[in-house]
């Protein structure tokens, strides 16, 4: 069952900065949401309030109607797939051990077949299972991070720039595959990305953040038709401009 | 060098005790440091407090730290009862564990603060509980650093453990201190070689474990750990008393650090063994420690001198004469300390001024009065206590002594200084064998400023009325004359050919005075 999410006046203040400035937002079960915005606009912070890696200063986050502040954070995190911006593979564990960590925490063993399957899912050779993270490239590490997030059969998948270090071809392929998984596994997915084109192509709904606020909340179609306001349109302008230039080269 | 080899071969027992002490201290240090480090990683205040405390402990000289546990444990008897040991294994263990704390703690805390925050965030993010995070992520990643700290702690502890001899815990310090005292350099060297060798072996084995953790090579660290465990276990096994309890009572004899005390300890010990007792020795105790130790029953028997008790413990500066002083001391020991002065051994070991015979003749000095006249041109030597002792103040004031220079020497080097001319006169001990051997003259004390120093046997309160023990000790009273004691002392102190161990000298002395 895909999860539903709601944010009610969520604010996060650090000493000098306001990372989140009163977020109100509802996310339907089964939606694929892309979160875009400039560096420092609060995307990671927003994502972390969901599984309580960050506790809001004000407001609350509801997961399937339940205030997450009242939940057991460890249990809730185990059923939430999370791909970390800093990747965060455990350097002393093999790729297989990293992927199997979630199930291991609740006393389940992940079979070799399942690990192989998860690795092929993210376009990695199952023979890599026995390697240590330091023996992988940055992009390969990122894909192991995605496999790890999927290993626990989550109903909610949170991805913080999951494809940042990938080459464009793999990135494109993996994006499509994650979108397919989203359908087949019946997930609710939030993906942070800097790439507006990627957001427009993959998501049902695009949120644009600026200075701790959500400044645009549109479908890809509406955004490409010029809606969403100035900040959003600045971001949409980049891929549109690129596409036009490419067209010009052809013509 | 053959002497060193023989001495090394004789160190098995103290080596085992040294290993046990060091292993227990490091074990306790780890047991305290690791939870503290985990706590410190969650709280800045704990981190600062714990590291600050451990660093402070580290600045206390090891010797002082060991000695400090005697009064600490003594006061803790109010809580834990009279059975709490104040000398020997327990204080040595506690002091050394405190010493081991810093390197382990510091490395563990550093390792934790240096963990990649991304990895910690991921550990939380995948849903690890506190303990899962500790066990699955933090501990394995910190292990090589913690191990490096344990390694440093082990090397320090093995070295510092030699000092536990001074508080009555047998260790590789025994041969070192005994050798220094009796100028038996083979013994000193053997103790140092054994202690350094042990440290090197421990460092190598713990280093193997560290490397195993670092390379995540289970075979390597497990191998190292097994080798360490086998070594420690062997030390324990060697110390198990396999003989069934023979029903013999154990008497603990305490002695101070110089040859005469070591010889007397062995002499009495052998007498008691013949009388059917088991005997343990706490040799090389500090002067103040040993008197306290008998009063609280940590040791059963020790030897002291009337003048020493008079001045140091009773804080008296007058001199009522030999017999009155003895009577007052017997009464004081009984009423204040609860101990029993069993009686005099028969000889005095008094402080007296001694000069080389030729020098005394040349300066025309035969008494302290003569000495006072020449003093402004002379250098006086004394043991490290002498110029602080009330006897010195008494004799100085009685004769108006005013030397051009006063120098401290260890007792052994004091005689060398006299021989080499670095000192003109020294505060010697009358039972010292080197007086005759070095051709020294003892200066007369016509004003009787120096008190008497009859040698006493003193029993702990528990033994004060032990008739069987007293019967076994009684033949010793009045049995030892000063000439025999001097010769026995000299046979241990001499540095040339016919040097004896305190035990050999004790056997010779027993024969000489007809105790067999
Ligand atoms: N632990 C923290 N302490 C203080 N300030 C923080 C902390 N974490 C984030 N911030 C601040 O909050 C703001 C939002 O940070 P956040 O990580 O959510 O940005 P982001 O949108 O994910 O940026 P990026 O695209 O670079 O990852 C930033 O100004 C950041 O400096
Ligand atoms: Mg971010």
């Amino acid at each position: 069952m895909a999860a539903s999410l709601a944010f009610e006046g969520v604010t996060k203040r650090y000493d000098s900065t306001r990372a989140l400035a009163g977020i109100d937002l509802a996310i339907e079960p089964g939606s694929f949401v892309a979160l875009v915005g400039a560096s420092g606009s609060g995307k990671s912070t927003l994502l972390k309030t969901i599984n309580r890696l960050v506790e809001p200063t004000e407001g609350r986050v509801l997961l399937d109607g339940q205030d997450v502040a009242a939940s057991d954070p460890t249990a809730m995190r185990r059923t939430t797939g999370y791909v970390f911006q800093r990747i965060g593979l455990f350097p002393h564990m093999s790729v297989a051990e990293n992927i199997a960590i979630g199930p291991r925490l609740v006393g389940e063993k992940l079979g070799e077949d399942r690990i192989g399957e998860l690795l092929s899912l993210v376009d990695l050779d199952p023979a890599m299972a026995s390697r240590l993270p330091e023996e992988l490239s940055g992009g390969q590490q990122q894909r192991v991070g995605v496999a790890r997030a999927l290993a626990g059969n989550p109903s909610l998948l949170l991805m913080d720039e999951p494809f940042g270090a990938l080459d464009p071809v793999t990135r494109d392929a993996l994006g499509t595959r994650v979108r397919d998984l989203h359908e087949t596994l019946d997930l609710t997915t939030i993906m942070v990305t800097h790439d507006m084109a990627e957001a427009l192509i993959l998501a049902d709904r695009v949120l644009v953040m600026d200075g701790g606020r959500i400044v645009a909340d549109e479908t890809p179609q509406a955004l490409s038709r010029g809606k969403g306001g100035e900040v959003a349109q600045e971001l949409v302008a980049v891929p549109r401009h690129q596409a036009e230039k490419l067209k010009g080269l052809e013509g | 060098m053959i002497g060193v080899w023989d001495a090394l071969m004789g160190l098995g027992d103290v080596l085992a005790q040294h290993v046990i002490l060091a292993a227990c201290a490091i074990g306790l240090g780890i047991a305290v440091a690791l939870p503290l480090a985990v706590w410190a990683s969650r709280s800045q205040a704990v981190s600062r407090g714990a590291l600050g405390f451990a660093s402070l402990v580290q600045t206390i000289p090891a010797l002082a730290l060991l000695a400090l546990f005697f009064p600490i444990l003594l006061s803790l008897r109010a809580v834990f009862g009279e059975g709490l040991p104040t000398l020997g294994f327990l204080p040595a263990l506690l002091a050394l564990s405190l010493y081991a704390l810093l390197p382990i703690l510091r490395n563990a805390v550093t390792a934790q603060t240096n963990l990649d925050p991304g990895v910690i965030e991921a550990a939380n993010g995948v849903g690890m509980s506190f303990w899962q995070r500790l066990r699955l992520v933090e501990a394995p990643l910190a292990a090589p650093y913690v191990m490096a700290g344990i390694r440093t702690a082990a090397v320090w502890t093995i070295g510092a453990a030699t000092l536990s001899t001074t508080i009555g815990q047998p260790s590789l310090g025994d041969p070192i201190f005994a050798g220094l005292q009796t100028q038996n350099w083979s013994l000193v060297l053997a103790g140092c070689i054994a202690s350094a060798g042990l440290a090197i072996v421990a460092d190598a084995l713990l280093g193997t474990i560290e490397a195993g953790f670092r390379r995540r090579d289970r075979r390597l660290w497990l191998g190292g750990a097994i080798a360490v465990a086998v070594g420690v276990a062997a030390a324990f096994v060697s110390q198990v008393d396999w003989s069934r309890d023979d029903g013999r009572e154990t008497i603990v004899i305490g002695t101070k650090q110089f040859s005469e005390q070591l010889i007397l300890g062995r002499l009495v010990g052998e007498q008691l063994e013949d009388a059917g007792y088991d005997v343990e020795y706490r040799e090389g105790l500090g002067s103040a420690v040993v008197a306290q130790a008998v009063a609280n029953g940590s040791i059963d028997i020790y030897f002291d001198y009337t003048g020493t008790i008079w001045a140091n413990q009773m804080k008296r500066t007058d001199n009522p004469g030999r017999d009155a002083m003895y009577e007052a001391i017997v009464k004081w020991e009984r009423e204040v300390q609860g101990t029993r002065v069993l009686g005099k051994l028969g000889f005095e070991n008094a402080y007296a001024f001694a000069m080389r015979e030729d020098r005394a003749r040349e300066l025309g000095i035969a008494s302290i009065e003569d000495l006072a006249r020449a003093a402004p041109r002379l250098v006086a030597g004394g043991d490290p206590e002498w110029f602080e002792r009330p006897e010195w103040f008494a004799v100085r004031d009685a004769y108006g002594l005013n030397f051009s220079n006063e120098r401290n020497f260890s007792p052994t080097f004091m005689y060398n200084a006299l021989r080499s001319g670095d000192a003109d006169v020294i505060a010697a001990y009358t039972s010292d064998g080197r007086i005759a051997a070095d051709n020294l003259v003892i200066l007369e004390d016509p004003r009787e400023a120096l008190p008497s120093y009859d040698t006493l046997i003193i029993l702990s309160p528990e033994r004060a009325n032990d008739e069987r023990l007293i019967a076994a000790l009684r033949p010793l009273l009045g049995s030892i004359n000063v000439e025999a004691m001097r010769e026995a002392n000299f046979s241990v102190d001499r540095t040339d050919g016919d040097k004896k161990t305190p035990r050999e000298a004790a056997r010779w002395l027993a024969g000489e005075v007809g105790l067999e």
Side-chain angles (χ1 to χ4, degrees), chain A residues 38-45 47-48 85-86 160-161 192 194:
Chain A
S39 188
S41 58
K43 306 181 296 291
S44 297
T45 308
L47 218 55
K48 287 179 198 167
Q85 185 171 10
R86 282 184 283 196
D160 200 344
E161 296 189 33
V192 175
H194 278 287

Side-chain angles (χ1 to χ4, degrees), chain B residues 387-405:
Chain B
F387 291 108
E388 302 297 331
R389 287 179 71 109
E391 295 94 326
W392 158 243
F393 300 130
V395 70
R396 181 193 64 189
D397 296 344
Y399 291 94
L401 285 171
N402 179 22
F403 292 106
S404 81
N405 193 6

